[in-house]
Amino acid sequence: MHALAAHAHLHAAAPGPPLAHGVGSRHDLPLSPFYAYAGAFAALLVSFLALGLLWSTSRFRGDLAGRPLPAVLQRMADAPATRTALRLLGTATALVFLLHLLLGPDDPDRNPAAGALYVLLWVGLVPASLLLGPVWRLLNPLRALLALHPPRSPRPLPAALGIRPAAAGLLLFTWLELVAPDNTSSATLLIALTVHTGVHLLGATRYGDPWFAHADPFEVYSSLLARLSPLGRRADGRLVLRSPFHGLDATPRIPGLVATVCVLLGSTAYDGLSDNPRWITTLQTSSLGPTPTATLGLLATVALAAVCYGLCAGVLRLMNPTLTTPLTSFAHSLLPVALGYLVAHYFSLFVTEGPRMVIMAGGTDNALAPAPFLNPGGLATLQVAAIVTGHVLGVVAAHDRSVRLFPPDRAVAGQLPLFALMIAYTLGGIGLLIA
């Protein structure tokens, strides 16, 4: 099996059932393109018009909003014993992963290590962060290693650094997942783990604990998704229940935010493109070879997502000269879009392969994946609904920010470029599902 011949997130070195989406190929999904496109366009248009007519003032209050949870829950969540237990859990899980890599068979059908990385961690962080907040910050085993030897005089992180290192790390990880040959082999995974650990421990030795919050790709990934969690922290540190829109509105406008979100959008788009028969043919016939061509394809989709958003931001600046930071001012509205893509592309993989990886970790070789609980039609509906819902939520977030930043007479017209961008992203995302 190889991802160049079928849509598979785990490229097995030996023949075997692909760890792909649980219900067939997306290109065989029974969904009418006309109804998918028309429904998506109608949902976006209706939401945009309704917001323009009924939503004239900003309603989201960022990290000032939220209903405090009972004090006992706050004390339990913040207790050193709770933090220590979670850190030990993350460390123990990492050690089990490492032992499987070192001692287990070099076969993804018998060794759960590759599935643990590409399914349980990468995809599992999505529901975990949505439900519980930035969980990887608490589980990150590298933080536990640093705590054994904390730096005595760490340097402050340069303000211009932002989360750019995390954006680069996410791009490298998605290249490993979607492009790299033999990416389920123990040797490849050990090399990747060694490089990841070495880079981040060196960075943390120089800059201290804050390095992980800005540079660790999984921690930044989890933290951004957690912006849409109903659990959050107010500015005063209280643990609260709040509308996900408030958390989204509190997304820091830091350097690298746009790059990080565009990596998520572009890499997920390439994940869909990699299943397209024409693209598979291109990879197989390219004079450059499959891996360089696939690498260029991944970079191109990320660049396309960035260019589209950059053009949108440029038009916003031309229409509203007082808007000094158009790139970061509306980047938060792309997070629901990225979430919609992640759900559409990885949901089936997670619910079918996730349990199989857990069973394999318990010692069962060649464990069978559970039968999918959605038929092809249901899966197709879920995928399109996830994409459309993500874009509608993005339109709401962008509108609220627009009425806050723009004069009342320009608030609706001023966000037309963002609305056009949402339509383009939506149609492109659906096209990759059903083309």
Side-chain angles (χ1 to χ4, degrees):
M1 177 204 63
H2 199 282
L4 303 181
H7 180 78
H9 298 273
L10 303 182
H11 312 264
L19 298 180
H21 288 265
V23 184
S25 169
R26 288 192 302 272
H27 302 289
D28 297 325
L29 294 177
L31 191 67
S32 165
F34 173 78
Y35 288 116
Y37 289 129
F41 180 79
L44 288 173
L45 181 61
V46 169
S47 62
F48 178 77
L49 294 176
L51 290 168
L53 292 173
L54 304 174
W55 198 307
S56 58
T57 58
S58 176
R59 303 182 185 186
F60 303 147
R61 297 187 293 121
D63 57 8
L64 300 178
R67 177 175 297 179
L69 290 173
V72 62
L73 293 179
Q74 174 98 30
R75 289 194 295 270
M76 290 176 59
D78 293 340
T82 302
R83 302 302 177 99
T84 301
L86 291 173
R87 194 61 51 81
L88 289 175
L89 175 63
T91 303
T93 303
L95 287 175
V96 171
F97 171 76
L98 181 60
L99 288 174
H100 276 291
L101 280 181
L102 293 172
L103 305 177
D106 195 6
D107 178 359
D109 289 324
R110 300 172 57 208
N111 191 329
L117 176 63
Y118 297 127
V119 180
L120 297 180
L121 176 60
W122 176 244
V123 185
L125 273 178
V126 177
S129 301
L130 289 177
L131 292 174
L132 303 173
V135 292
W136 192 246
R137 183 183 304 168
L138 301 175
L139 296 170
N140 192 346
L142 297 183
R143 285 184 177 267
L145 286 177
L146 182 69
L148 297 177
H149 260 303
R152 294 182 178 179
S153 301
R155 300 183 182 183
L157 278 167
L161 189 68
I163 57 173
R164 289 191 175 105
L170 284 170
L171 182 60
L172 289 172
F173 176 80
T174 54
W175 178 86
L176 177 68
E177 181 208 9
L178 298 171
V179 175
D182 299 323
N183 69 347
T184 60
S185 71
S186 297
T188 300
L189 292 177
L190 282 170
I191 291 171
L193 178 63
T194 301
V195 172
H196 175 81
T197 301
V199 167
H200 290 289
L201 286 183
L202 284 174
T205 300
R206 183 179 180 88
Y207 295 109
D209 208 54
W211 168 263
F212 297 113
H214 291 78
D216 187 296
F218 300 110
E219 192 160 314
V220 170
Y221 172 63
S222 174
S223 297
L224 288 178
L225 292 174
R227 291 292 168 183
L228 289 159
S229 172
L231 286 176
R233 295 273 182 176
R234 282 194 324 211
D236 59 5
R238 286 301 303 269
L239 190 65
V240 296
L241 282 177
R242 64 187 181 191
S243 163
F245 283 114
H246 292 301
L248 191 61
D249 189 63
T251 305
R253 305 184 202 181
I254 56 177
L257 175 62
V258 174
T260 303
V261 177
C262 287
V263 167
L264 293 177
L265 290 172
S267 60
T268 313
Y270 180 78
D271 172 65
L273 176 65
S274 66
D275 191 31
N276 188 288
R278 294 181 181 178
W279 180 247
I280 293 172
T281 301
T282 299
L283 293 176
Q284 293 172 337
T285 58
S286 172
S287 60
L288 293 176
T291 300
T293 304
T295 300
L296 291 176
L298 174 62
L299 294 176
T301 55
V302 172
L304 180 61
V307 167
C308 289
Y309 181 69
L311 290 174
C312 173
V315 174
L316 281 172
R317 179 66 183 274
L318 290 175
M319 295 177 65
N320 305 276
T322 59
L323 184 62
T324 57
T325 56
L327 281 173
T328 54
S329 293
F330 291 93
H332 72 297
S333 66
L334 298 184
L335 286 175
V337 178
L339 175 61
Y341 285 168
L342 288 167
V343 172
H345 285 267
Y346 292 115
F347 170 81
S348 179
L349 175 74
F350 183 67
V351 298
T352 54
E353 294 300 332
R356 192 167 79 89
M357 294 303 109
V358 175
I359 294 171
M360 288 173 61
T364 301
D365 288 345
N366 292 304
L368 296 177
F373 65 92
L374 288 177
N375 60 29
L379 176 61
T381 301
L382 173 67
Q383 290 175 324
V384 173
I387 289 177
V388 173
T389 301
H391 284 82
V392 170
L393 296 179
V395 168
V396 174
H399 178 83
D400 188 86
R401 184 63 56 86
S402 179
V403 297
R404 182 187 306 169
L405 296 179
F406 300 154
D409 57 337
R410 296 183 187 175
V412 176
Q415 60 181 299
L416 284 173
L418 285 165
F419 180 61
L421 178 69
M422 293 296 178
I423 291 177
Y425 279 164
T426 303
L427 299 184
I430 293 176
L432 289 171
L433 284 176
I434 64 178

